[in-house]
Amino acid sequence: MCKAVNMKSLHYLCIVKENDMMTMKDIAEALGISVATVSRALSDSPRISDERRRQIQAYAREHNFTPNVLAESLRHSRVKPMKIIGVIVPELVHYYFSTILKGIEEEAEQHGYRIMVAQSGEKYEREVRLCQSFYETKVCGIIVSQAKDTQHYDHFQRLIDAGVPLVFYDRICTGVNASRVVVDDYMGAYNAVTHLIETGCRRIAFYGSQMNLEISKNRFNGYKDALLKHGLPFDESITRQCDNRQDAELITPDLFDGDRYPDAFFAVNDDTAIGILYTVKRMGLRVPEDISICGFTNGERAIACDPMLTTVEQRGIRVGEEAANILIGHVEGRLPKDHPEKRVVRTRLIIRGTTR
């Protein structure tokens, strides 16, 4: 015989679960039944009546219950459940993100955690789906670098509201009050452009990413302030939105059409800088005698080009270690979730053959 639902306790449950994750135990308590019955209903077991199954499934839908996929799979195995951290990477092919991932994994392993990695492919819609998927899998927390075209942040805020620890790295979201780890993009750019100026460059072009990203704003501001500090004018005509090698090879010749062309380039990353390098060499210009070039990353490609690339080292492994350390601190209670951590990893300029 079915037990009556206690409406007072049901109302209370809805309130306390408004910003938390509904479990099968919560459903069982609200409906006055066993967790086993809830489990059977949600898996369409024939061991309970159709009426009871529909009642339980309707309640689960109404209260946005999502099954714990990871726990369910482990429940039927002899493997001890693991502590899982979800990691969202914009693109795995980039050297910098792969080094961050290495740092996250090494730090997590030291504390008995494992990581589950997915890439957004720089797409907002996929990033939203990944956040929901990690939430449904009940990861203990999420480490994320936002996609380039992400300009709405509700999916991040929902995770925080649900009590899921969240840490941003590299590309941070200023619209969400969450922990973050970044490199000192401003000073990295400022020091790089200062080096170009001190070695005799006077007309320095800038190639950067979309300005909705904080790293782009900070590197642009570092570039601009270095010019102004050394008495050089800022010239918008030699700044471009360009953050990959292919585009750099396409647009660089345009900057040499007039009489006054750049004598140096500062690029937002190494791939873009290398695109500039090979383009100006094909045009018959000498590097660094005619054109100086500086990148930002210090990946493996920086020493595989000719001449080797002057660049700003980002120390991706350290960024990953710090991000994992913060997240684990939130999960284990050493760092309060409502007091976001903000850490900065220092960069350094690596001088090689593309500057004088």
Side-chain angles (χ1 to χ4, degrees):
M1 185 174 180
C2 297
K3 294 182 180 179
V5 176
N6 185 325
M7 296 306 294
K8 183 177 180 180
S9 63
L10 177 58
H11 175 68
Y12 172 74
L13 178 65
C14 292
I15 293 174
V16 298
K17 281 293 168 184
E18 190 173 290
N19 291 318
D20 204 349
M21 294 179 287
M22 178 72 66
T23 66
M24 286 194 287
K25 183 179 178 181
D26 297 323
I27 298 174
E29 289 177 355
L31 300 179
I33 55 180
S34 69
V35 174
T37 300
V38 175
S39 178
R40 293 188 189 109
L42 296 178
S43 60
D44 290 321
S45 171
R47 296 176 61 184
I48 61 174
S49 68
D50 292 342
E51 182 182 354
R52 172 47 63 89
R53 184 164 58 249
R54 284 194 296 269
Q55 177 197 22
I56 296 169
Q57 290 177 353
Y59 182 86
R61 285 194 301 272
E62 182 182 349
H63 293 85
N64 299 316
F65 170 79
T66 54
N68 188 330
V69 178
L70 180 62
E72 190 66 27
S73 64
L74 292 173
R75 187 177 295 120
H76 301 292
S77 74
R78 295 183 180 180
V79 179
K80 183 178 179 180
M82 296 181 293
K83 296 177 285 187
I84 306 294
I85 297 171
V87 182
I88 299 177
V89 180
E91 286 188 321
L92 286 167
V93 294
H94 289 307
Y95 171 83
Y96 180 53
F97 290 129
S98 68
T99 60
I100 291 175
L101 197 58
K102 177 180 173 65
I104 292 172
E105 186 169 33
E106 289 179 351
E107 182 72 13
E109 187 173 9
Q110 287 183 19
H111 292 83
Y113 289 76
R114 296 291 181 267
I115 65 173
M116 184 182 296
V117 184
Q119 60 178 342
S120 66
E122 301 286 15
K123 300 298 182 184
Y124 164 75
E125 294 82 1
R126 179 165 173 76
E127 182 179 87
V128 172
R129 292 197 299 271
L130 289 174
C131 285
Q132 179 64 22
S133 177
F134 279 149
Y135 173 80
E136 293 174 1
T137 306
K138 303 298 191 291
V139 295
C140 63
I142 297 174
I143 300 174
V144 58
S145 180
Q146 73 174 61
K148 283 181 184 176
D149 64 353
T150 295
Q151 298 189 42
H152 302 286
Y153 313 112
D154 292 350
H155 55 303
F156 295 137
Q157 190 60 54
R158 284 195 295 270
L159 292 171
I160 294 172
D161 292 343
V164 179
L166 185 67
V167 177
F168 289 100
Y169 67 91
D170 189 50
R171 300 180 195 163
I172 63 173
C173 175
T174 57
V176 174
N177 191 27
S179 292
R180 60 195 62 178
V181 180
V182 296
V183 300
D184 56 342
D185 292 294
Y186 174 89
M187 285 306 303
Y190 182 91
N191 291 336
V193 176
T194 295
H195 167 68
L196 292 171
I197 295 169
E198 290 176 345
T199 54
C201 301
R202 291 296 178 266
R203 187 164 168 77
I204 304 168
F206 174 83
Y207 282 15
S209 297
Q210 300 164 218
M211 284 300 173
N212 66 301
L213 300 174
E214 285 300 305
I215 61 169
S216 302
K217 296 176 187 176
N218 291 334
R219 292 177 195 178
F220 176 72
N221 288 334
Y223 156 80
K224 190 174 179 180
D225 286 354
L227 295 177
L228 299 178
K229 176 71 174 180
H230 293 84
L232 296 179
F234 165 69
D235 186 349
E236 191 173 359
S237 70
I238 53 173
T239 66
R240 296 289 188 274
Q241 181 176 307
C242 174
D243 61 4
N244 61 78
R245 177 172 177 169
Q246 182 179 6
D247 288 347
E249 292 182 0
L250 286 173
I251 69 174
T252 297
D254 295 341
L255 272 70
F256 292 86
D257 281 348
D259 296 330
R260 296 184 66 240
Y261 56 79
D263 59 5
F265 288 80
F266 172 64
V268 72
N269 58 43
D270 285 357
D271 280 352
T272 303
I274 291 169
I276 298 167
L277 170 62
Y278 281 98
T279 301
V280 298
K281 286 176 66 178
R282 284 197 304 268
M283 294 171 63
L285 295 165
R286 300 170 300 166
V287 178
E289 293 84 357
D290 300 322
I291 304 290
S292 290
I293 302 168
C294 183
F296 207 114
T297 300
N298 195 33
E300 293 177 348
R301 295 177 186 175
I303 58 174
C305 56
D306 181 27
M308 291 190 288
L309 184 68
T310 293
T311 185
V312 178
E313 184 178 48
Q314 288 183 272
R315 300 175 63 203
I317 292 176
R318 185 61 180 166
V319 171
E321 290 172 344
E322 291 287 348
N325 181 267
I326 293 172
L327 186 82
I328 293 168
H330 286 319
V331 171
E332 297 183 351
R334 289 181 283 104
L335 298 173
K337 293 180 185 178
D338 57 350
H339 287 81
E341 286 279 309
K342 298 178 182 178
R343 298 183 188 174
V344 178
V345 174
R346 300 300 174 191
T347 58
R348 64 172 181 153
L349 182 65
I350 308 297
I351 300 173
R352 299 194 182 100
T354 57
T355 55
R356 301 165 195 166

